[in-house]
Amino acid sequence: MAEIVEHLPFVVVDKGQEYYVSVAGHQRPDGEWEGWLEYVPLDESDVLITPTETTQSNLSALRHWAEVLTETYVQGAFRRAVRGTAAPVDSRIAARRAEQAAAVAATVDLPDPFEMFTEDPERMRRRLSAWPRATLLNIIKASNLNPAGKSLAWLTDRQLVTFIVTAVEAQLSAGRQF
């Protein structure tokens, strides 16, 4: 199964559309890891993926490969992704699966982020940091913290926590009652 290996610090802009970049990969039956780049748009249009960009002996080597990628490489890979993603293979798109997992994992009682914020924002941040990604995404959805409906798949777990805290603070400042 594919997984996000590294979120890259680059944004690619093409025809006015912004894409956030991640390296994804999966372990092959022979134990080696294949890696590719995923370009996640801010809107809900399709994720663009490159063909396999590298094969590494283990996950640690794939992470190292991802950490040393340059902006020039990422731009060139974007052109390969545009050419190669006419019909993306959904089983390879790790970013989309993360969102789907969050949608079906809403079977637990979710805390009220507005109540948590008014009690203690720093404690809220610590509690949120302990929860899995699927729970964080469900809190955002259930509490309508992303009214624009932008894709959050490109955010790291830590960034999701900051997103929740910031969105709650902004909505409370704007007069939202909970």
Side-chain angles (χ1 to χ4, degrees):
M1 177 190 307
E3 62 184 78
I4 298 291
V5 174
E6 184 80 24
H7 294 283
L8 301 180
F10 307 114
V11 175
V12 175
V13 179
D14 182 59
K15 299 177 187 166
Q17 174 70 276
E18 287 186 13
Y19 295 86
Y20 290 86
V21 189
S22 297
V23 173
H26 74 256
Q27 189 173 24
R28 299 185 325 193
D30 66 3
E32 292 194 335
W33 281 78
E34 290 184 342
W36 59 88
L37 279 73
E38 295 189 356
Y39 296 84
V40 180
L42 284 181
D43 65 12
E44 293 301 316
S45 59
D46 288 335
V47 174
L48 301 176
I49 62 172
T50 66
T52 298
E53 295 283 324
T54 187
T55 301
Q56 300 290 330
S57 59
N58 57 48
L59 180 57
S60 183
L62 181 58
R63 281 197 176 105
H64 176 72
W65 176 83
E67 290 169 357
V68 298
L69 290 178
T70 65
E71 187 169 7
T72 301
Y73 185 94
V74 168
Q75 293 288 341
F78 179 78
R79 288 190 293 279
R80 289 189 295 281
V82 169
R83 286 192 308 264
T85 313
V89 180
D90 282 341
S91 64
R92 250 184 110 176
I93 301 176
R96 182 171 294 132
R97 260 201 321 287
E99 286 182 340
Q100 291 167 344
V104 297
T107 58
V108 297
D109 290 330
L110 296 174
D112 182 344
F114 295 94
E115 187 175 301
M116 288 182 359
F117 185 88
T118 58
E119 289 173 4
D120 183 355
E122 281 311 307
R123 183 170 180 251
M124 172 189 185
R125 188 178 293 277
R126 288 190 304 272
R127 285 182 63 196
L128 291 171
S129 294
W131 286 325
R133 180 178 191 80
T135 302
L136 297 175
L137 290 168
N138 283 326
I139 290 170
I140 292 168
K141 185 173 184 172
S143 302
N144 197 28
L145 298 178
N146 184 18
K150 299 291 185 185
S151 173
L152 303 177
W154 59 274
L155 293 176
T156 65
D157 293 356
R158 186 175 178 178
Q159 290 170 324
L160 286 172
V161 168
T162 299
F163 181 91
I164 293 169
V165 173
T166 304
V168 167
E169 184 176 25
Q171 288 189 20
L172 288 173
S173 294
R176 176 173 173 170
Q177 302 293 316
F178 64 96

